[in-house]
Amino acid sequence: LGNGGSTLHALRCLEEHYGDQWTSLTVLLIHSGGYSQRLPNASALGKIFTALPLGDPVLQMLELKLAMYIDFPRHMKPGVLVTCSDDIELYSTGPTETITFDKPGFTALAHPSDVAVGTTHGVFVLDPSSFSGKGGLEYGSCYRFLHKPDVETMRQSGAVCVRERCPQLSCPGSQGDSGMASECVYTDSVFYIDHSTAKLLLGFYKQMGTLCCEIDAYGDFLQALGPGATPEYTKDTRNVSREDSGLVGVRQQLYSLLQGTPLNVIVLNNSQFYHIGTTEEYLFHFTAESKLRFELALQPVAFSIFPDTAKASGQLSIIQSILEPGCVVGPGSVIEYSRIGPQVSVGKGSIVSGCCISFSVDIPSSCFLSSVSVRVTGGVQYVTIVFGVGDDLKRSVKSLSDLHSLQFFGASLPECLDLWSIEASDQLFSSEDTLLGLWTARIFPVCSTLSESVRVSLNMLSSVQHKSAFELSGFQLLSVEEMLTYKDVEDMLKFRRQIHDEICLQRQKEKSNF
């Protein structure tokens, strides 16, 4: 469905559940996170439940969202506020300035960003007569919305603002620079749909019956709005993850439906938009000297047992985990919901999630390790995903002869398959369509215990690093895609609860001893 299709489906569920009463509701609708292919430790449970290195016990992204938007409902007419689960908006407004969602049509928050940031976000072409660029908060109207435009398109469309209209505070890279750095664009984050427009979209969904393609709530809804909107975007499928045959037709229908609907913009001149949707962003914001880490006071050790004898070098992030004396964690690494034994060494810039590591091992730098509980036939079993943090799980090829272009921890996939005694065939991939990639490759062994699952996956990785054979032919193998079909959420939460309870017990003991 895509996040646009799921938005329409959620509107239908609201109407079915509340009947006519839903016309008076103010709704917060958060997209829980899709497949999360660029941050796979959030794939099984959803990005909205990403743990933050903050709070005692730790907060998840959901709680942070509720805290950030706590003032909105008081100044909001019935309608729907739509937001993603992997972004954080921090802003400062004057004592008398309030963010109000009360206009017909769509109303979006806009944040000043570097021009380069605009190429991966939605960008507003603001109506200059309604906007001065001064003050903390301004209400204006949007002439046209651009979705992930290139720099030239932003310039030609009039989306680029000069520095005087973009306070230094909010424009990364603009301090004291010249040329390009003195410019910014206004990018999107949260948007509001008033009730009558939401009803219009729901009517469209009912009329469609079954959606046959992925719709993007940002690209496909917002590009139809504003007086400068044109239907050209309906045929542009460059930014689409799956190109379905019906997409262009559905976009054209949405364009006809929404054309002429106003796009109001609340410009937050003194604001910052943060995205935590990729392994790179996740590691940077949680472990480096990032502005977000400072602004939210993110903690290096949050609700964890981290003894003095556990060695840590440099910035790191330990979230609801139990680390035993003697283990070593390298700088720039994140450990969440895990038990790390005394003879474990974790390298630099790695992510370890949901793992139990009770044996002696050196986890290499830039390693991604995440365990998932599954039920394939009957009882609970375990699979551990292992990759390089920079490996591209979204990348796919159409034929077996192109598999060499897929990289697993610095080696080509065919090289890895040879070392693991796995034959490269169509049966190796779980996808029903012809997309062959790391996401759909059946390469991860199913094991009876959590610890054994981590051990076997690290042996796979070690064989690739040392170019030594490690046979996987005796194991049942799953792809990441299949793990999400067979996942046992209850068992994963049970493991997290056990860690939580053990930390609480340890703290009680420490208190009574004290």
Side-chain angles (χ1 to χ4, degrees):
L1 284 178
N3 58 27
S6 64
T7 299
L8 299 176
H9 180 69
L11 294 180
R12 183 165 195 163
C13 291
L14 283 168
E15 188 194 48
E16 284 171 1
H17 189 74
Y18 290 102
D20 292 342
Q21 198 189 342
W22 92 285
T23 59
S24 61
L25 299 178
T26 50
V27 178
L28 173 61
L29 196 154
I30 308 175
H31 301 132
S32 65
Y35 292 131
S36 190
Q37 289 171 302
R38 295 182 299 165
L39 188 64
N41 52 317
S43 295
L45 298 179
K47 280 185 194 168
I48 192 61
F49 302 111
T50 299
L52 300 166
L54 184 66
D56 190 348
V58 294
L59 298 177
Q60 294 177 327
M61 201 59 150
L62 177 59
E63 282 105 351
L64 182 62
K65 287 267 167 189
L66 294 173
M68 287 190 302
Y69 307 150
I70 199 165
D71 292 328
F72 290 177
R74 268 181 292 178
H75 309 283
M76 190 174 160
K77 282 191 173 170
V80 182
L81 190 75
V82 178
T83 180
C84 285
S85 53
D86 59 5
D87 60 22
I88 295 170
E89 302 85 27
L90 301 179
Y91 59 90
S92 169
T93 57
T96 57
E97 296 175 320
T98 38
I99 292 176
T100 305
F101 299 102
D102 61 353
K103 293 185 172 63
F106 285 72
T107 303
L109 299 186
H111 311 271
S113 301
D114 212 6
V115 175
V117 172
T119 60
T120 55
H121 288 79
V123 173
F124 300 102
V125 181
L126 299 169
D127 178 352
S129 64
S130 70
F131 164 73
S132 71
K134 296 187 175 74
L137 181 148
E138 272 190 287
Y139 289 86
S141 58
C142 181
Y143 175 71
R144 187 182 168 199
F145 178 83
L146 309 171
H147 187 57
K148 298 183 180 178
D150 56 39
V151 174
E152 194 181 338
T153 304
M154 287 187 261
R155 292 193 183 288
Q156 287 172 349
S157 309
V160 179
C161 305
V162 292
R163 184 136 150 218
E164 292 81 63
R165 292 165 66 176
C166 171
Q168 282 189 357
L169 253 178
S170 343
C171 244
S174 68
Q175 287 90 335
D177 293 352
S178 58
M180 278 284 288
S182 64
E183 301 170 320
C184 72
V185 290
Y186 282 88
T187 53
D188 65 339
S189 63
V190 179
F191 67 85
Y192 161 85
I193 312 170
D194 82 310
H195 186 265
S196 59
T197 309
K199 211 168 177 180
L200 193 69
L201 285 166
L202 177 57
F204 165 80
Y205 182 55
K206 286 177 178 172
Q207 179 199 328
M208 287 291 294
T210 307
L211 281 176
C212 56
C213 57
E214 284 192 16
I215 298 176
D216 180 19
Y218 297 82
D220 296 335
F221 292 174
L222 301 185
Q223 281 187 105
L225 310 174
T230 63
E232 271 73 56
Y233 76 89
T234 58
K235 297 187 180 74
D236 183 355
T237 54
R238 281 174 301 179
N239 290 315
V240 174
S241 59
R242 288 177 66 124
E243 197 174 326
D244 300 291
S245 54
L247 178 63
V248 172
V250 172
R251 278 181 169 179
Q252 286 169 342
Q253 285 173 274
L254 272 169
Y255 175 76
S256 302
L257 178 82
L258 293 172
Q259 196 183 4
T261 304
L263 176 53
N264 310 293
V265 178
I266 302 174
V267 178
L268 296 169
N269 283 311
N270 191 11
S271 68
Q272 197 77 50
F273 170 93
Y274 297 98
H275 188 250
I276 308 185
T278 69
T279 50
E280 189 184 4
E281 291 166 339
Y282 180 79
L283 287 168
F284 173 71
H285 288 303
F286 284 12
T287 70
E289 291 290 346
S290 79
K291 203 172 170 196
L292 176 69
R293 189 180 165 108
F294 170 73
E295 288 182 332
L296 284 183
L298 299 181
Q299 303 155 340
V301 179
F303 193 68
S304 295
I305 296 174
F306 188 77
D308 299 339
T309 47
K311 295 187 182 66
S313 45
Q315 293 280 23
L316 45 76
S317 185
I318 313 290
I319 306 166
Q320 195 167 318
S321 294
I322 297 171
L323 279 73
E324 292 189 34
C327 69
V328 179
V329 182
S333 287
V334 176
I335 314 277
E336 63 159 7
Y337 298 122
S338 295
R339 289 176 183 276
I340 308 293
Q343 296 172 299
V344 178
S345 161
V346 180
K348 297 177 190 171
S350 290
I351 296 170
V352 178
S353 174
C355 294
C356 175
I357 314 176
S358 54
F359 49 91
S360 172
V361 69
D362 289 346
I363 297 169
S365 294
S366 304
C367 176
F368 176 89
L369 200 64
S370 179
S371 297
V372 179
S373 306
V374 293
R375 272 182 196 268
V376 184
T377 49
V380 179
Q381 294 172 291
Y382 303 92
V383 192
T384 297
I385 306 167
V386 64
F387 288 113
V389 289
D391 289 349
D392 187 353
L393 273 66
K394 272 194 158 183
R395 183 176 166 75
S396 62
V397 294
K398 289 189 174 166
S399 80
L400 294 171
S401 58
D402 294 326
L403 287 184
H404 61 273
S405 68
L406 299 173
Q407 294 284 304
F408 176 95
F409 221 94
S412 75
L413 186 58
E415 274 180 76
C416 301
L417 297 176
D418 283 347
L419 293 167
W420 301 329
S421 304
I422 298 176
E423 189 189 340
S425 68
D426 288 333
Q427 285 69 49
L428 174 64
F429 297 91
S430 58
S431 183
E432 286 175 14
D433 49 33
T434 54
L435 299 178
L436 317 176
L438 293 180
W439 186 256
T440 55
R442 292 184 170 120
I443 55 175
F444 297 107
V446 180
C447 296
S448 57
T449 69
L450 189 51
S451 188
E452 186 58 20
S453 148
V454 178
R455 185 200 297 271
V456 174
S457 289
L458 284 172
N459 284 343
M460 282 172 64
L461 179 57
S462 178
S463 85
V464 172
Q465 285 188 295
H466 300 109
K467 302 282 184 276
S468 58
F470 179 68
E471 201 161 312
L472 286 177
S473 50
F475 290 94
Q476 179 186 3
L477 302 173
L478 295 182
S479 67
V480 185
E481 180 182 59
E482 286 175 317
M483 287 180 216
L484 300 187
T485 305
Y486 298 125
K487 68 183 178 184
D488 186 326
V489 171
E490 269 305 312
D491 192 69
M492 293 176 76
L493 294 178
K494 185 173 135 193
F495 179 65
R496 292 183 176 191
R497 274 196 297 272
Q498 285 169 351
I499 290 175
H500 172 275
D501 294 349
E502 200 170 317
I503 291 167
C504 290
L505 200 65
Q506 174 84 6
R507 288 181 167 190
Q508 278 173 347
K509 277 185 192 167
E510 284 170 3
K511 265 187 188 171
S512 57
N513 290 345
F514 183 69

